[in-house]
Amino acid sequence: MGFMRRTVAELVRERWGDHRPGLWFEGRVLSHHQVTAGAAARAALLADLLPTGAEPHVGVLLDNTPEYPMWLSAAALAGAAVAGINPTRRGPELARDILHTECRVLVTERIHLPLLAGLELPGVRVLVTDTEEYADLLTAYEGARPEAGSVSPDDRLLLYFTSGSTGAPKAAICTQGRLAAAGSSLVDHFGVRPQDTHYICMPMFHGNAVIADWAPALAAGARIALRRRFSASGFLPDVRACGATYFTYVGRAVQYLLATPARPDDRDNPLRTGFGTEAGAVDAAAFEQRFGVRLVEGYGSSEGGAAIQRTPGTPAGAIGRPAPGDDLAVVDPQTRTECPAAVFGPDGLLLNGSAAIGELVNRGANPFEGYWRNPAADLARRRDGWYWTGDLFYRDRAGFLYFAGRADDRLRVDSENLAAAMIENILARYRGAAAVAVYAVPDPVAGDQVMATLAPREGVPFDPRAFAAFLAGQPDLGTKMAPRFVRIVERMPVTATNKIHRAALRRAGFRCDEPVWWRPAGEPDYRRFGPADERGLLTEYRARGREGLLPATTRG
């Protein structure tokens, strides 16, 4: 891959001798040189710990502490790869992630040791960072220098798990060359300066934090600031304390921040930019108005197969145009033909969503590097010689692309294809909601019905009449889009990466412990969904042979 000539190891070595502040964590500051020296010591330790002939893989089961970027840098120097281990995984699934990626060394901390209790991890050496034993082990390597070695741009550096609606998570491969190129690209795109500070509050076991936050900071020689775990209440105090100018986000984190009590000094912060995905136009506008910070919605397939860049003149609601060199198309996955351009009404309403929305594919060369030991998943991504992103988009006549959700979040209501993300963007305008998720539940006859889960704002009880009136007043809410079921939760369930846990919501459907309101066909108002309603619906499903489409009840 000729466009990936630099290595992350080179970027790490460039910080040797740089005594400017390089890392902020809980009020402590390390210089770039100290971070690089720590990485060199860990690289030397890793070289001694890895058995001869073993894959050079180290699992990292840590919160966002200084050890995480040091081990990323150490792996780069050693020509090894970090497998980011998700601390929300449990039991056999957690063991499977560690063993599947063939980690012979696992770096963790005492807070996560209970997760490992009772697991069978043959041949895995566990290092616990906040112990005297670990400190003593590193002492012998304190004089190590970040040697050049024989590191190649094609060496694996990351094995990061990507979630899916079915099956075990897949470990996507990212090489030193791709990560270095991604970091440099974002430096150019956002004008990152050495005096900037990148605030990393998204979990570092996920590609969002490493590729879009840590890598550009490393490439520019900027400082990083770490938050052990995302905290909405701790966000602004951290940003002010460390002087953060840039951060990455996912949409749910933005919703958490907007749900905090507003203060007169919210705009008193050093941030210039937030970069992320799925915030939605309504939340992005509210965030900028309240905090004075522009959120830039971006798109880049975690596996590297497709990217969209926001450029001047990008219309409201659009992500941008394809990155240079990418041959991106929106296609119907059934016919493999390109979808027609979007048609908008005078009020901006998408008039032909059923035809215009399709899966985004890259028909040209792309840097997708595959999954670790998963040829079936590789083939699924590379069907027909194209890279299939698994994401739904539509394109306007000028070539701008608009995100419409995940392919597995498509709904089919009365033979009309709908995208959950588009309905969510409309429901996000409802003032009584702190967060909204939309997903499909099977219809008793055919196709799907729309279900929404709503987390009300603090102190604002759900008002079914007000919600129905709100829906009636939305000009872009199509006749098939209004939720049939509305589940009310105190707090939206999220994954470890702060994305809404739609899989869990879909599994529960309308048979859950929280209150559910519904609007039966032909009725104008929402009413409580009770045991008699459930029995009646189940009778309909059985009569049409569709009861098997319903997930088992989750009620205890």
Side-chain angles (χ1 to χ4, degrees):
M1 298 182 181
F3 57 89
M4 297 180 183
R5 296 315 333 140
R6 298 211 74 190
T7 65
V8 173
E10 291 172 323
L11 301 178
V12 172
R13 287 196 297 271
E14 287 174 1
R15 303 277 69 81
W16 181 260
D18 184 347
H19 295 283
R20 296 177 302 120
L23 187 153
W24 180 96
F25 177 69
E26 297 180 350
R28 293 191 297 117
V29 177
L30 298 177
S31 70
H32 286 291
H33 178 80
Q34 287 175 306
V35 174
T36 307
R42 286 157 179 78
L45 169 63
L46 182 62
D48 284 349
L49 291 182
L50 285 173
T52 302
E55 294 290 351
H57 297 172
V58 53
V60 177
L61 176 62
L62 295 171
D63 291 340
N64 290 0
T65 69
E67 289 287 343
Y68 215 123
M70 283 189 190
W71 275 100
L72 287 171
S73 297
L77 294 172
V82 164
I85 306 301
N86 183 341
T88 67
R89 301 272 283 170
R90 294 292 184 271
E93 289 75 24
L94 178 63
R96 178 263 173 198
D97 293 348
I98 298 167
L99 297 176
H100 171 69
T101 45
E102 301 181 48
C103 298
R104 302 303 293 272
V105 175
L106 177 66
V107 181
T108 190
E109 54 193 316
R110 284 183 292 182
I111 193 173
H112 293 313
L113 284 179
L115 300 178
L116 303 177
L119 297 188
E120 293 291 333
L121 298 173
V124 178
R125 172 75 179 270
V126 178
L127 304 180
V128 185
T129 59
D130 48 351
T131 61
E132 290 185 10
E133 180 184 3
Y134 178 76
D136 291 343
L137 194 60
L138 280 175
T139 299
Y141 300 91
E142 283 182 353
R145 298 176 63 88
E147 301 299 336
S150 56
V151 176
S152 161
D154 295 325
D155 286 344
R156 291 186 301 277
L157 179 56
L158 300 177
L159 295 169
Y160 52 98
F161 287 99
T162 61
S163 60
S165 57
T166 59
K170 305 178 290 290
I173 296 169
C174 182
T175 59
Q176 294 225 15
R178 179 156 78 88
L179 187 59
S184 298
S185 176
L186 288 171
V187 167
D188 294 339
H189 189 65
F190 288 111
V192 183
R193 308 161 302 182
Q195 61 267 37
D196 281 325
T197 297
H198 283 209
Y199 180 56
I200 304 177
C201 55
M202 296 291 99
M204 294 192 75
F205 65 78
H206 192 260
N208 172 292
V210 175
I211 298 173
D213 215 341
W214 180 73
L218 181 67
R223 181 168 68 161
I224 64 169
L226 301 176
R227 176 79 190 193
R228 178 178 284 274
R229 297 180 185 176
F230 173 77
S231 166
S233 62
F235 181 83
L236 273 185
D238 273 359
V239 162
R240 290 168 178 148
C242 69
T245 54
Y246 169 102
F247 74 105
T248 59
Y249 64 84
V250 294
R252 186 67 189 105
V254 170
Q255 291 175 343
Y256 277 137
L257 292 169
L258 290 172
T260 59
R263 295 174 54 91
D265 62 349
D266 279 341
R267 296 174 70 92
D268 181 17
N269 67 76
L271 286 170
R272 292 200 318 270
T273 306
F275 178 51
T277 61
E278 300 180 23
V282 172
D283 284 348
F287 194 90
E288 183 169 9
Q289 181 179 16
R290 177 172 164 184
F291 298 103
V293 181
R294 182 174 65 108
L295 298 185
V296 179
E297 285 283 297
Y299 177 83
S301 171
S302 298
E303 294 86 346
I308 300 171
Q309 292 185 349
R310 189 174 186 87
T311 56
T314 298
I319 301 297
R321 285 191 168 109
D326 282 356
D327 179 15
L328 301 189
V330 178
V331 304
D332 183 323
Q334 302 301 319
T335 65
R336 307 294 202 269
T337 58
E338 194 161 354
C339 296
V343 177
F344 300 99
D347 54 1
L349 172 65
L350 177 63
L351 300 178
N352 64 333
S354 182
I357 295 173
E359 186 169 347
L360 186 71
V361 301
N362 189 347
R363 301 178 295 194
N366 64 81
F368 173 54
E369 296 169 316
Y371 298 107
W372 179 252
R373 304 283 198 235
N374 200 331
D378 290 347
L379 289 173
R381 282 287 185 212
R382 292 178 167 135
R383 300 192 310 273
D384 304 325
W386 297 347
Y387 176 85
W388 295 75
T389 65
D391 292 318
L392 300 176
F393 275 81
Y394 55 96
R395 184 198 298 262
D396 66 19
R397 296 186 187 280
F400 288 100
L401 291 159
Y402 299 72
F403 181 69
R406 293 284 303 167
D408 55 8
D409 284 332
R410 181 188 283 267
L411 301 85
R412 189 166 180 82
V413 180
D414 294 341
S415 299
E416 183 174 338
N417 290 323
L418 306 174
M422 297 186 67
I423 304 174
E424 284 179 4
N425 288 339
I426 297 171
L427 300 189
R429 303 169 192 158
Y430 182 56
R431 292 180 179 273
V436 176
V438 171
Y439 46 97
V441 293
D443 183 88
V445 178
D448 303 312
Q449 285 294 338
V450 180
M451 184 165 182
T453 289
L454 185 150
R457 294 193 181 278
E458 188 174 355
V460 181
F462 177 67
D463 184 337
R465 289 188 177 180
F467 184 68
F470 160 80
L471 295 177
Q474 305 310 303
D476 51 350
L477 187 75
T479 58
K480 312 296 184 186
M481 293 181 176
R484 174 65 57 86
F485 302 92
V486 181
R487 175 182 178 181
I488 306 301
V489 297
E490 182 177 340
R491 188 176 180 86
M492 190 70 71
V494 296
T495 66
T497 56
N498 284 308
K499 294 185 178 181
I500 292 175
H501 202 331
R502 287 181 176 80
L505 294 173
R506 277 193 294 265
R507 282 196 298 269
F510 50 74
R511 296 188 289 177
C512 54
D513 291 327
E514 293 84 6
V516 173
W517 297 77
W518 78 314
R519 187 160 61 176
E523 295 189 18
D525 300 320
Y526 285 93
R527 58 180 173 83
R528 280 293 295 268
F529 183 75
D533 298 311
E534 182 175 324
R535 288 193 296 270
L537 266 182
L538 291 177
T539 299
E540 287 191 57
Y541 283 105
R542 292 191 194 101
R544 292 172 172 82
R546 290 174 63 82
E547 186 179 15
L549 299 178
L550 293 173
T553 179
T554 60
R555 289 199 183 98

